Amino acid sequence: MNTFLWVIVPYLCLATFVVGHYWRYRYDKFGWTTRSSQLYENRLLRLGSPLFHFGMLGVVAGHFVGLLVPESWTNGAGLSNHAYHWGALVGGLAAAAATLAGLVILIYRRRTVGPVFSATTKMDKLMYVFLAGVILLGIWNTVSGASFLFGGHEYDYRQGVSIWFRQFWSFHPDPALMGAAPLSFQLHAFVASLLFALWPFTRLVHVFSAPVGYLTRPYIVYRSRDTQLGNRRPGRGWEPLG
Amino acid sequence: MRVMAQMAMVMNLDKCIGCHTCSVTCKQAWTNRSGTEYVWFNNVETRPGQGYPRTYEDQERWQGGWKLNRRGRLSLKAGGRFRKLATIFSNPKLPSIHDYYEPWTYDYATLTDAPAQEHTPVARPKSLLTGGDTKITWSSNWDDDLGGSKASFENDPVLAKVSTEVKRSFEDTFMFYLPRICEHCLNPSCAASCPSGAIYKRSEDGIVLVDQDRCRGWRMCVSGCPYKKIYFNHRTGKAEKCTFCFPRIEVGLPTVCSETCVGRLRYLGLILYDADRVLDAASTPDDQDLYRAQREILLDPNDPEVVAAAERDGVPHDWVMAAQRSPIHALIQTYEVALPLHPEYRTMPMVWYIPPLSPVVDAIGETGEDPEDQRNLFAAIDALRIPVEYLAGLFTAGDTAVVDSVLQRLAAMRSYMRDLNLGREPDPGIPARVGMSEEEMYDMYRLLALAKYDERYVIPAAHAEQAHSLEALGTECPVGSGPFGEGSGSPVPIAVENFTMLRNRQTADTVAAPDDKATRVNLLNWDGRGIPTGLFPPRQEVTETEEVGEAGTPDTSDDGATGPGGTGGLTGGADYR
Ligand code: SF4
Ligand code: SF4
């Protein structure tokens, strides 16, 4: 069971994620968009969208540190475990609060603003369920991490989940590490895997078009007409113009 | 010097009757789809008025276009790259659908479905955004002919800038129409604002297009364009804009709006310009010098040096020849009567306008004086500051001297030609007074009043050896739902008609040419002469075959009038001119 949940499913999801994106990009460049609904409604979006997105950026950064940086490195850098957890808690809560507030505003907006609601596809709704699920479970994990403040015994994910996660990328995952994690962590990881499998088929693909190239390219883009053959030959020199 | 060619347009505002034919035909050809209901690549505004979207010219509010920063360098008015990325999650300057209007339809079905009842059933307006009932409060031409009167009049951003005296009285009011399309700017701020780099200027003919496959829906172009000529397709989530009908232009046909213009007031042609000096010209410190600066980067296609440089820079020879015959070059540079719209936005727009003399003429007419007498006209141009200042606000960043001189030329032409037309001795003093020779004046008159189809539209066809599939690229979007929502899936080719394609289709043995083709006829292509095959069901014995050639025969007899086949993009453009 552990092997199925923490080896087979994640790798299947990863494969779907990668192949799905490749396929979507080939098949559906035209549908690759943020599908913004700002035109319909701006007041709520102006609040919710930056909250959510910047919160999410914080969340991603937090996961990066928590999952990819081994405990020995932070210890080596002179950061005590206690200090690390304080940092993770404060940063995590801030990002979680922003994300959650944004998410609530955006979902409320999606449901109550008529044009936005009617522009919501089934795929969007499914995606929202998974996304909200992952986020809520994640927030629960963060908050329960605060129990160390009250002397409670807290699950140190850097001894378990993180190691599994790194092993996952080197293709030697030990499912027992995940199996030993608390249920909320297991659920978070599992739903996240499914979300990643869903990813290429939703509007979430817009994450991969974050336009960083804008910072370096010249302002005005010149492009020649494509070089495929046109459907007419050039006129002979003596034929009248226009 | 780096010579580039630009396809440009000039519109003669005196002739616009505000009929909206251009808008309607453009819409039929390009934006007759869901998601683009509110999109008018071509719109005609009553001026003074708010414009479309409302008050788009108020750049303090919308922050479109370029400005000079503190160091005198050209920068995007809405903030540079970092600012753009920081606000990418919610564009602070995006007009909402309510600044355009909420698209709607009517519930026509009730008219036929309603059960028997005492009152006649009505078709209620239904919002196309929510599908629910809606109340219509605004639309694209709600203030047409000052329909909205004072309320909309007072919101005109151009009027707000001219002296307060102008706003004082409604007796001296004046009105004209301003048809607008995308300006296909030399220094497009829409392209500069696009984080994905999806908007590009074609190096061959300067047409600015949105690559639908690269657009990711960040919406920065919508706010970046000071003319608000980029629209967000709310179904596909991508930006769309006027394409200058590039599939037509590439085969030498005029744009749909030009072709169908009732006033025949649009001119199309090439302009050569020096691409190396665009940035300098756009950075001219004084707003009022921008008109001159923009004219200075336009090159004289008759100058042998320019011709040599053009060939060096890859402008084909027939294009240079077309540039020499270009009505655009003549109107901007030779006769100096065409002016750019809002040069102060610093995008170097390439759709220029001949300002209307009619407010002046009308004002004289009302006093009972002779509105074609040059003395009256000249005096009136001096006296009627209101229209002049307003026009200056539109076309020269407020420099009335330039507008004065253009209006004087138009007035001089009017008086001079009247003498000629009445068989009187023409007065050479009139052209001299505006710095023109009699011959020049007559040529200008010819171009403005008489020019035939091939003089108004001098469009060299694209070179196939450098061209691409005319149908595949561009901004047409499929309609209907793919698995990921509206419009996903591979793009559908642009449904544009040109005579080559029409001919191909008529002779092709594909689904487009059904078996029973012989029994069908496109009446829109029928010019009224002869009996096309299929107009009547087949009859035995009678040889109709001789008439086969009549079906969709090129309509060549005409001097440029829009003949039965002449609506181009709508009916298949069988007009072979
Ligand atoms: S007018 Fe056209 S080319 Fe110019 S900035 Fe606007 S959309 Fe771009
Ligand atoms: S078709 Fe011509 S005359 Fe009519 S509104 Fe358009 S530009 Fe004006």
PDB file of all heavy atoms in Angstrom, chain A residues 23-24 35 110 119-131 195 197-204, chain B residues 482-485 488:
ATOM      1  N   TRP A  23       2.091  17.771 -24.325  1.00  0.00           N
ATOM      2  CA  TRP A  23       0.968  17.583 -25.240  1.00  0.00           C
ATOM      3  C   TRP A  23       0.127  18.859 -25.346  1.00  0.00           C
ATOM      4  O   TRP A  23      -0.239  19.313 -26.420  1.00  0.00           O
ATOM      5  CB  TRP A  23       0.104  16.427 -24.742  1.00  0.00           C
ATOM      6  CG  TRP A  23      -1.164  16.304 -25.510  1.00  0.00           C
ATOM      7  CD1 TRP A  23      -1.315  15.735 -26.731  1.00  0.00           C
ATOM      8  CD2 TRP A  23      -2.443  16.789 -25.121  1.00  0.00           C
ATOM      9  NE1 TRP A  23      -2.612  15.829 -27.141  1.00  0.00           N
ATOM     10  CE2 TRP A  23      -3.330  16.482 -26.170  1.00  0.00           C
ATOM     11  CE3 TRP A  23      -2.935  17.459 -24.005  1.00  0.00           C
ATOM     12  CZ2 TRP A  23      -4.677  16.814 -26.129  1.00  0.00           C
ATOM     13  CZ3 TRP A  23      -4.268  17.802 -23.959  1.00  0.00           C
ATOM     14  CH2 TRP A  23      -5.122  17.468 -25.010  1.00  0.00           C
ATOM     15  N   ARG A  24      -0.162  19.451 -24.204  1.00  0.00           N
ATOM     16  CA  ARG A  24      -1.005  20.641 -24.216  1.00  0.00           C
ATOM     17  C   ARG A  24      -0.340  21.750 -25.023  1.00  0.00           C
ATOM     18  O   ARG A  24      -0.974  22.462 -25.787  1.00  0.00           O
ATOM     19  CB  ARG A  24      -1.246  21.110 -22.785  1.00  0.00           C
ATOM     20  CG  ARG A  24      -2.028  22.432 -22.677  1.00  0.00           C
ATOM     21  CD  ARG A  24      -3.492  22.185 -22.520  1.00  0.00           C
ATOM     22  NE  ARG A  24      -4.270  23.415 -22.586  1.00  0.00           N
ATOM     23  CZ  ARG A  24      -4.739  24.056 -21.519  1.00  0.00           C
ATOM     24  NH1 ARG A  24      -4.516  23.585 -20.312  1.00  0.00           N
ATOM     25  NH2 ARG A  24      -5.450  25.163 -21.662  1.00  0.00           N
ATOM     26  N   ARG A  35      -6.687  33.186 -18.863  1.00  0.00           N
ATOM     27  CA  ARG A  35      -8.137  33.302 -18.938  1.00  0.00           C
ATOM     28  C   ARG A  35      -8.669  34.275 -17.884  1.00  0.00           C
ATOM     29  O   ARG A  35      -9.562  33.963 -17.105  1.00  0.00           O
ATOM     30  CB  ARG A  35      -8.784  31.931 -18.767  1.00  0.00           C
ATOM     31  CG  ARG A  35     -10.106  31.799 -19.499  1.00  0.00           C
ATOM     32  CD  ARG A  35     -10.616  30.392 -19.420  1.00  0.00           C
ATOM     33  NE  ARG A  35      -9.893  29.511 -20.320  1.00  0.00           N
ATOM     34  CZ  ARG A  35     -10.054  29.499 -21.628  1.00  0.00           C
ATOM     35  NH1 ARG A  35     -10.893  30.306 -22.190  1.00  0.00           N
ATOM     36  NH2 ARG A  35      -9.361  28.671 -22.381  1.00  0.00           N
ATOM     37  N   ARG A 110     -15.867  34.395  -7.709  1.00  0.00           N
ATOM     38  CA  ARG A 110     -16.216  33.503  -8.783  1.00  0.00           C
ATOM     39  C   ARG A 110     -17.665  33.034  -8.671  1.00  0.00           C
ATOM     40  O   ARG A 110     -18.370  32.880  -9.656  1.00  0.00           O
ATOM     41  CB  ARG A 110     -15.273  32.303  -8.770  1.00  0.00           C
ATOM     42  CG  ARG A 110     -15.023  31.774 -10.146  1.00  0.00           C
ATOM     43  CD  ARG A 110     -13.760  31.062 -10.356  1.00  0.00           C
ATOM     44  NE  ARG A 110     -12.803  31.882 -11.090  1.00  0.00           N
ATOM     45  CZ  ARG A 110     -12.899  32.173 -12.376  1.00  0.00           C
ATOM     46  NH1 ARG A 110     -13.896  31.747 -13.093  1.00  0.00           N
ATOM     47  NH2 ARG A 110     -11.979  32.915 -12.951  1.00  0.00           N
ATOM     48  N   ALA A 119     -18.454  32.252 -16.744  1.00  0.00           N
ATOM     49  CA  ALA A 119     -17.260  31.970 -17.549  1.00  0.00           C
ATOM     50  C   ALA A 119     -16.409  30.872 -16.922  1.00  0.00           C
ATOM     51  O   ALA A 119     -15.314  30.595 -17.374  1.00  0.00           O
ATOM     52  CB  ALA A 119     -16.424  33.241 -17.702  1.00  0.00           C
ATOM     53  N   THR A 120     -16.910  30.252 -15.853  1.00  0.00           N
ATOM     54  CA  THR A 120     -16.136  29.218 -15.166  1.00  0.00           C
ATOM     55  C   THR A 120     -16.425  27.855 -15.786  1.00  0.00           C
ATOM     56  O   THR A 120     -17.577  27.451 -15.887  1.00  0.00           O
ATOM     57  CB  THR A 120     -16.527  29.196 -13.679  1.00  0.00           C
ATOM     58  OG1 THR A 120     -16.413  30.514 -13.161  1.00  0.00           O
ATOM     59  CG2 THR A 120     -15.616  28.276 -12.900  1.00  0.00           C
ATOM     60  N   THR A 121     -15.374  27.177 -16.181  1.00  0.00           N
ATOM     61  CA  THR A 121     -15.585  25.880 -16.824  1.00  0.00           C
ATOM     62  C   THR A 121     -15.624  24.773 -15.772  1.00  0.00           C
ATOM     63  O   THR A 121     -15.263  24.974 -14.619  1.00  0.00           O
ATOM     64  CB  THR A 121     -14.439  25.563 -17.798  1.00  0.00           C
ATOM     65  OG1 THR A 121     -13.238  25.450 -17.043  1.00  0.00           O
ATOM     66  CG2 THR A 121     -14.279  26.645 -18.839  1.00  0.00           C
ATOM     67  N   LYS A 122     -16.024  23.583 -16.189  1.00  0.00           N
ATOM     68  CA  LYS A 122     -16.044  22.435 -15.274  1.00  0.00           C
ATOM     69  C   LYS A 122     -14.639  22.152 -14.775  1.00  0.00           C
ATOM     70  O   LYS A 122     -14.417  21.847 -13.613  1.00  0.00           O
ATOM     71  CB  LYS A 122     -16.565  21.207 -16.033  1.00  0.00           C
ATOM     72  CG  LYS A 122     -18.049  21.239 -16.278  1.00  0.00           C
ATOM     73  CD  LYS A 122     -18.559  19.793 -16.444  1.00  0.00           C
ATOM     74  CE  LYS A 122     -20.000  19.781 -16.921  1.00  0.00           C
ATOM     75  NZ  LYS A 122     -20.140  20.192 -18.343  1.00  0.00           N
ATOM     76  N   MET A 123     -13.703  22.252 -15.697  1.00  0.00           N
ATOM     77  CA  MET A 123     -12.309  22.005 -15.345  1.00  0.00           C
ATOM     78  C   MET A 123     -11.874  22.974 -14.248  1.00  0.00           C
ATOM     79  O   MET A 123     -11.151  22.599 -13.315  1.00  0.00           O
ATOM     80  CB  MET A 123     -11.472  22.217 -16.602  1.00  0.00           C
ATOM     81  CG  MET A 123     -10.292  21.317 -16.717  1.00  0.00           C
ATOM     82  SD  MET A 123     -10.775  19.600 -16.554  1.00  0.00           S
ATOM     83  CE  MET A 123      -9.197  18.836 -16.720  1.00  0.00           C
ATOM     84  N   ASP A 124     -12.308  24.227 -14.380  1.00  0.00           N
ATOM     85  CA  ASP A 124     -11.964  25.218 -13.364  1.00  0.00           C
ATOM     86  C   ASP A 124     -12.483  24.776 -12.004  1.00  0.00           C
ATOM     87  O   ASP A 124     -11.777  24.843 -10.998  1.00  0.00           O
ATOM     88  CB  ASP A 124     -12.606  26.575 -13.706  1.00  0.00           C
ATOM     89  CG  ASP A 124     -11.881  27.260 -14.839  1.00  0.00           C
ATOM     90  OD1 ASP A 124     -10.728  26.875 -15.104  1.00  0.00           O
ATOM     91  OD2 ASP A 124     -12.479  28.163 -15.447  1.00  0.00           O
ATOM     92  N   LYS A 125     -13.727  24.315 -11.992  1.00  0.00           N
ATOM     93  CA  LYS A 125     -14.333  23.951 -10.706  1.00  0.00           C
ATOM     94  C   LYS A 125     -13.574  22.794 -10.080  1.00  0.00           C
ATOM     95  O   LYS A 125     -13.255  22.807  -8.890  1.00  0.00           O
ATOM     96  CB  LYS A 125     -15.801  23.585 -10.904  1.00  0.00           C
ATOM     97  CG  LYS A 125     -16.628  24.812 -11.260  1.00  0.00           C
ATOM     98  CD  LYS A 125     -18.069  24.457 -11.541  1.00  0.00           C
ATOM     99  CE  LYS A 125     -18.779  25.649 -12.154  1.00  0.00           C
ATOM    100  NZ  LYS A 125     -20.012  25.290 -12.817  1.00  0.00           N
ATOM    101  N   LEU A 126     -13.257  21.784 -10.893  1.00  0.00           N
ATOM    102  CA  LEU A 126     -12.505  20.636 -10.394  1.00  0.00           C
ATOM    103  C   LEU A 126     -11.161  21.091  -9.845  1.00  0.00           C
ATOM    104  O   LEU A 126     -10.740  20.725  -8.740  1.00  0.00           O
ATOM    105  CB  LEU A 126     -12.300  19.662 -11.558  1.00  0.00           C
ATOM    106  CG  LEU A 126     -11.694  18.311 -11.182  1.00  0.00           C
ATOM    107  CD1 LEU A 126     -12.688  17.537 -10.329  1.00  0.00           C
ATOM    108  CD2 LEU A 126     -11.349  17.518 -12.433  1.00  0.00           C
ATOM    109  N   MET A 127     -10.523  21.942 -10.623  1.00  0.00           N
ATOM    110  CA  MET A 127      -9.214  22.438 -10.215  1.00  0.00           C
ATOM    111  C   MET A 127      -9.322  23.193  -8.891  1.00  0.00           C
ATOM    112  O   MET A 127      -8.478  23.037  -8.003  1.00  0.00           O
ATOM    113  CB  MET A 127      -8.678  23.337 -11.326  1.00  0.00           C
ATOM    114  CG  MET A 127      -7.294  23.887 -11.100  1.00  0.00           C
ATOM    115  SD  MET A 127      -7.295  25.430 -10.205  1.00  0.00           S
ATOM    116  CE  MET A 127      -7.925  26.578 -11.417  1.00  0.00           C
ATOM    117  N   TYR A 128     -10.367  23.984  -8.754  1.00  0.00           N
ATOM    118  CA  TYR A 128     -10.541  24.745  -7.517  1.00  0.00           C
ATOM    119  C   TYR A 128     -10.660  23.818  -6.314  1.00  0.00           C
ATOM    120  O   TYR A 128     -10.111  24.080  -5.255  1.00  0.00           O
ATOM    121  CB  TYR A 128     -11.787  25.637  -7.600  1.00  0.00           C
ATOM    122  CG  TYR A 128     -11.480  27.038  -8.039  1.00  0.00           C
ATOM    123  CD1 TYR A 128     -11.700  27.442  -9.346  1.00  0.00           C
ATOM    124  CD2 TYR A 128     -10.950  27.957  -7.132  1.00  0.00           C
ATOM    125  CE1 TYR A 128     -11.403  28.723  -9.758  1.00  0.00           C
ATOM    126  CE2 TYR A 128     -10.649  29.241  -7.541  1.00  0.00           C
ATOM    127  CZ  TYR A 128     -10.880  29.619  -8.852  1.00  0.00           C
ATOM    128  OH  TYR A 128     -10.580  30.878  -9.244  1.00  0.00           O
ATOM    129  N   VAL A 129     -11.379  22.708  -6.480  1.00  0.00           N
ATOM    130  CA  VAL A 129     -11.539  21.775  -5.370  1.00  0.00           C
ATOM    131  C   VAL A 129     -10.173  21.256  -4.921  1.00  0.00           C
ATOM    132  O   VAL A 129      -9.821  21.288  -3.739  1.00  0.00           O
ATOM    133  CB  VAL A 129     -12.448  20.600  -5.793  1.00  0.00           C
ATOM    134  CG1 VAL A 129     -12.407  19.510  -4.736  1.00  0.00           C
ATOM    135  CG2 VAL A 129     -13.860  21.097  -6.012  1.00  0.00           C
ATOM    136  N   PHE A 130      -9.390  20.812  -5.888  1.00  0.00           N
ATOM    137  CA  PHE A 130      -8.084  20.258  -5.536  1.00  0.00           C
ATOM    138  C   PHE A 130      -7.166  21.323  -4.967  1.00  0.00           C
ATOM    139  O   PHE A 130      -6.475  21.122  -3.973  1.00  0.00           O
ATOM    140  CB  PHE A 130      -7.446  19.604  -6.765  1.00  0.00           C
ATOM    141  CG  PHE A 130      -7.949  18.220  -7.004  1.00  0.00           C
ATOM    142  CD1 PHE A 130      -9.104  17.992  -7.717  1.00  0.00           C
ATOM    143  CD2 PHE A 130      -7.269  17.146  -6.464  1.00  0.00           C
ATOM    144  CE1 PHE A 130      -9.575  16.719  -7.914  1.00  0.00           C
ATOM    145  CE2 PHE A 130      -7.725  15.848  -6.659  1.00  0.00           C
ATOM    146  CZ  PHE A 130      -8.889  15.644  -7.388  1.00  0.00           C
ATOM    147  N   LEU A 131      -7.164  22.473  -5.615  1.00  0.00           N
ATOM    148  CA  LEU A 131      -6.272  23.543  -5.169  1.00  0.00           C
ATOM    149  C   LEU A 131      -6.619  23.956  -3.750  1.00  0.00           C
ATOM    150  O   LEU A 131      -5.747  24.050  -2.874  1.00  0.00           O
ATOM    151  CB  LEU A 131      -6.387  24.731  -6.131  1.00  0.00           C
ATOM    152  CG  LEU A 131      -5.368  25.843  -5.942  1.00  0.00           C
ATOM    153  CD1 LEU A 131      -3.966  25.299  -6.245  1.00  0.00           C
ATOM    154  CD2 LEU A 131      -5.665  27.006  -6.861  1.00  0.00           C
ATOM    155  N   LEU A 195      -3.220  17.006  -7.871  1.00  0.00           N
ATOM    156  CA  LEU A 195      -3.314  18.342  -8.465  1.00  0.00           C
ATOM    157  C   LEU A 195      -2.279  18.492  -9.573  1.00  0.00           C
ATOM    158  O   LEU A 195      -2.566  19.048 -10.640  1.00  0.00           O
ATOM    159  CB  LEU A 195      -3.110  19.411  -7.386  1.00  0.00           C
ATOM    160  CG  LEU A 195      -3.152  20.846  -7.908  1.00  0.00           C
ATOM    161  CD1 LEU A 195      -4.551  21.191  -8.400  1.00  0.00           C
ATOM    162  CD2 LEU A 195      -2.734  21.842  -6.844  1.00  0.00           C
ATOM    163  N   ALA A 197      -1.129  16.171 -11.387  1.00  0.00           N
ATOM    164  CA  ALA A 197      -1.574  15.406 -12.555  1.00  0.00           C
ATOM    165  C   ALA A 197      -2.631  16.173 -13.338  1.00  0.00           C
ATOM    166  O   ALA A 197      -2.715  16.098 -14.556  1.00  0.00           O
ATOM    167  CB  ALA A 197      -2.130  14.061 -12.112  1.00  0.00           C
ATOM    168  N   LEU A 198      -3.409  16.931 -12.611  1.00  0.00           N
ATOM    169  CA  LEU A 198      -4.488  17.694 -13.243  1.00  0.00           C
ATOM    170  C   LEU A 198      -3.943  18.942 -13.950  1.00  0.00           C
ATOM    171  O   LEU A 198      -4.519  19.445 -14.911  1.00  0.00           O
ATOM    172  CB  LEU A 198      -5.457  18.110 -12.135  1.00  0.00           C
ATOM    173  CG  LEU A 198      -6.887  18.427 -12.506  1.00  0.00           C
ATOM    174  CD1 LEU A 198      -7.513  17.207 -13.164  1.00  0.00           C
ATOM    175  CD2 LEU A 198      -7.657  18.802 -11.241  1.00  0.00           C
ATOM    176  N   TRP A 199      -2.862  19.417 -13.415  1.00  0.00           N
ATOM    177  CA  TRP A 199      -2.275  20.710 -13.787  1.00  0.00           C
ATOM    178  C   TRP A 199      -2.279  21.038 -15.279  1.00  0.00           C
ATOM    179  O   TRP A 199      -2.814  22.065 -15.694  1.00  0.00           O
ATOM    180  CB  TRP A 199      -0.858  20.743 -13.214  1.00  0.00           C
ATOM    181  CG  TRP A 199      -0.227  22.082 -13.158  1.00  0.00           C
ATOM    182  CD1 TRP A 199       0.172  22.846 -14.221  1.00  0.00           C
ATOM    183  CD2 TRP A 199       0.103  22.827 -11.978  1.00  0.00           C
ATOM    184  NE1 TRP A 199       0.733  24.007 -13.776  1.00  0.00           N
ATOM    185  CE2 TRP A 199       0.708  24.022 -12.405  1.00  0.00           C
ATOM    186  CE3 TRP A 199      -0.058  22.586 -10.616  1.00  0.00           C
ATOM    187  CZ2 TRP A 199       1.164  24.984 -11.507  1.00  0.00           C
ATOM    188  CZ3 TRP A 199       0.416  23.552  -9.736  1.00  0.00           C
ATOM    189  CH2 TRP A 199       1.007  24.736 -10.172  1.00  0.00           C
ATOM    190  N   PRO A 200      -1.691  20.161 -16.105  1.00  0.00           N
ATOM    191  CA  PRO A 200      -1.564  20.550 -17.516  1.00  0.00           C
ATOM    192  C   PRO A 200      -2.900  20.730 -18.214  1.00  0.00           C
ATOM    193  O   PRO A 200      -2.943  21.315 -19.288  1.00  0.00           O
ATOM    194  CB  PRO A 200      -0.770  19.400 -18.146  1.00  0.00           C
ATOM    195  CG  PRO A 200      -0.764  18.313 -17.157  1.00  0.00           C
ATOM    196  CD  PRO A 200      -1.069  18.866 -15.835  1.00  0.00           C
ATOM    197  N   PHE A 201      -3.953  20.254 -17.604  1.00  0.00           N
ATOM    198  CA  PHE A 201      -5.254  20.331 -18.284  1.00  0.00           C
ATOM    199  C   PHE A 201      -6.111  21.462 -17.742  1.00  0.00           C
ATOM    200  O   PHE A 201      -7.285  21.559 -18.052  1.00  0.00           O
ATOM    201  CB  PHE A 201      -5.983  18.986 -18.148  1.00  0.00           C
ATOM    202  CG  PHE A 201      -5.084  17.829 -18.473  1.00  0.00           C
ATOM    203  CD1 PHE A 201      -4.574  17.032 -17.479  1.00  0.00           C
ATOM    204  CD2 PHE A 201      -4.703  17.603 -19.791  1.00  0.00           C
ATOM    205  CE1 PHE A 201      -3.716  15.990 -17.781  1.00  0.00           C
ATOM    206  CE2 PHE A 201      -3.840  16.576 -20.100  1.00  0.00           C
ATOM    207  CZ  PHE A 201      -3.343  15.763 -19.091  1.00  0.00           C
ATOM    208  N   THR A 202      -5.521  22.293 -16.926  1.00  0.00           N
ATOM    209  CA  THR A 202      -6.281  23.394 -16.352  1.00  0.00           C
ATOM    210  C   THR A 202      -5.620  24.709 -16.729  1.00  0.00           C
ATOM    211  O   THR A 202      -4.602  24.732 -17.401  1.00  0.00           O
ATOM    212  CB  THR A 202      -6.282  23.315 -14.825  1.00  0.00           C
ATOM    213  OG1 THR A 202      -4.940  23.497 -14.392  1.00  0.00           O
ATOM    214  CG2 THR A 202      -6.783  21.980 -14.343  1.00  0.00           C
ATOM    215  N   ARG A 203      -6.210  25.779 -16.242  1.00  0.00           N
ATOM    216  CA  ARG A 203      -5.619  27.072 -16.537  1.00  0.00           C
ATOM    217  C   ARG A 203      -4.344  27.310 -15.725  1.00  0.00           C
ATOM    218  O   ARG A 203      -3.669  28.312 -15.914  1.00  0.00           O
ATOM    219  CB  ARG A 203      -6.629  28.168 -16.252  1.00  0.00           C
ATOM    220  CG  ARG A 203      -7.006  28.233 -14.791  1.00  0.00           C
ATOM    221  CD  ARG A 203      -7.687  29.524 -14.470  1.00  0.00           C
ATOM    222  NE  ARG A 203      -9.052  29.566 -14.962  1.00  0.00           N
ATOM    223  CZ  ARG A 203      -9.760  30.674 -14.981  1.00  0.00           C
ATOM    224  NH1 ARG A 203      -9.232  31.795 -14.599  1.00  0.00           N
ATOM    225  NH2 ARG A 203     -11.002  30.646 -15.384  1.00  0.00           N
ATOM    226  N   LEU A 204      -4.031  26.364 -14.835  1.00  0.00           N
ATOM    227  CA  LEU A 204      -2.808  26.531 -14.053  1.00  0.00           C
ATOM    228  C   LEU A 204      -1.564  26.571 -14.933  1.00  0.00           C
ATOM    229  O   LEU A 204      -0.512  27.015 -14.499  1.00  0.00           O
ATOM    230  CB  LEU A 204      -2.671  25.380 -13.042  1.00  0.00           C
ATOM    231  CG  LEU A 204      -3.682  25.377 -11.908  1.00  0.00           C
ATOM    232  CD1 LEU A 204      -3.400  24.231 -10.963  1.00  0.00           C
ATOM    233  CD2 LEU A 204      -3.626  26.687 -11.134  1.00  0.00           C
TER     234      LEU A 204
ATOM    235  N   GLY B 482     -13.509  23.994 -26.592  1.00  0.00           N
ATOM    236  CA  GLY B 482     -12.612  22.856 -26.599  1.00  0.00           C
ATOM    237  C   GLY B 482     -12.656  22.254 -25.213  1.00  0.00           C
ATOM    238  O   GLY B 482     -13.416  22.696 -24.359  1.00  0.00           O
ATOM    239  N   PRO B 483     -11.819  21.257 -24.977  1.00  0.00           N
ATOM    240  CA  PRO B 483     -11.834  20.599 -23.671  1.00  0.00           C
ATOM    241  C   PRO B 483     -11.444  21.535 -22.526  1.00  0.00           C
ATOM    242  O   PRO B 483     -11.823  21.284 -21.386  1.00  0.00           O
ATOM    243  CB  PRO B 483     -10.827  19.461 -23.835  1.00  0.00           C
ATOM    244  CG  PRO B 483     -10.036  19.791 -25.056  1.00  0.00           C
ATOM    245  CD  PRO B 483     -10.903  20.619 -25.919  1.00  0.00           C
ATOM    246  N   PHE B 484     -10.702  22.603 -22.801  1.00  0.00           N
ATOM    247  CA  PHE B 484     -10.252  23.468 -21.710  1.00  0.00           C
ATOM    248  C   PHE B 484     -10.970  24.797 -21.732  1.00  0.00           C
ATOM    249  O   PHE B 484     -10.432  25.820 -21.365  1.00  0.00           O
ATOM    250  CB  PHE B 484      -8.746  23.678 -21.792  1.00  0.00           C
ATOM    251  CG  PHE B 484      -8.019  22.393 -21.965  1.00  0.00           C
ATOM    252  CD1 PHE B 484      -7.259  22.161 -23.086  1.00  0.00           C
ATOM    253  CD2 PHE B 484      -8.124  21.417 -20.994  1.00  0.00           C
ATOM    254  CE1 PHE B 484      -6.606  20.957 -23.237  1.00  0.00           C
ATOM    255  CE2 PHE B 484      -7.473  20.225 -21.152  1.00  0.00           C
ATOM    256  CZ  PHE B 484      -6.712  19.977 -22.269  1.00  0.00           C
ATOM    257  N   GLY B 485     -12.174  24.807 -22.213  1.00  0.00           N
ATOM    258  CA  GLY B 485     -12.917  26.041 -22.220  1.00  0.00           C
ATOM    259  C   GLY B 485     -12.947  26.624 -23.612  1.00  0.00           C
ATOM    260  O   GLY B 485     -12.439  26.040 -24.564  1.00  0.00           O
ATOM    261  N   SER B 488     -10.221  26.552 -26.920  1.00  0.00           N
ATOM    262  CA  SER B 488      -8.970  25.829 -26.859  1.00  0.00           C
ATOM    263  C   SER B 488      -8.910  24.870 -28.042  1.00  0.00           C
ATOM    264  O   SER B 488      -9.855  24.696 -28.784  1.00  0.00           O
ATOM    265  CB  SER B 488      -8.851  25.077 -25.534  1.00  0.00           C
ATOM    266  OG  SER B 488      -9.888  24.154 -25.412  1.00  0.00           O
TER     267      SER B 488
END
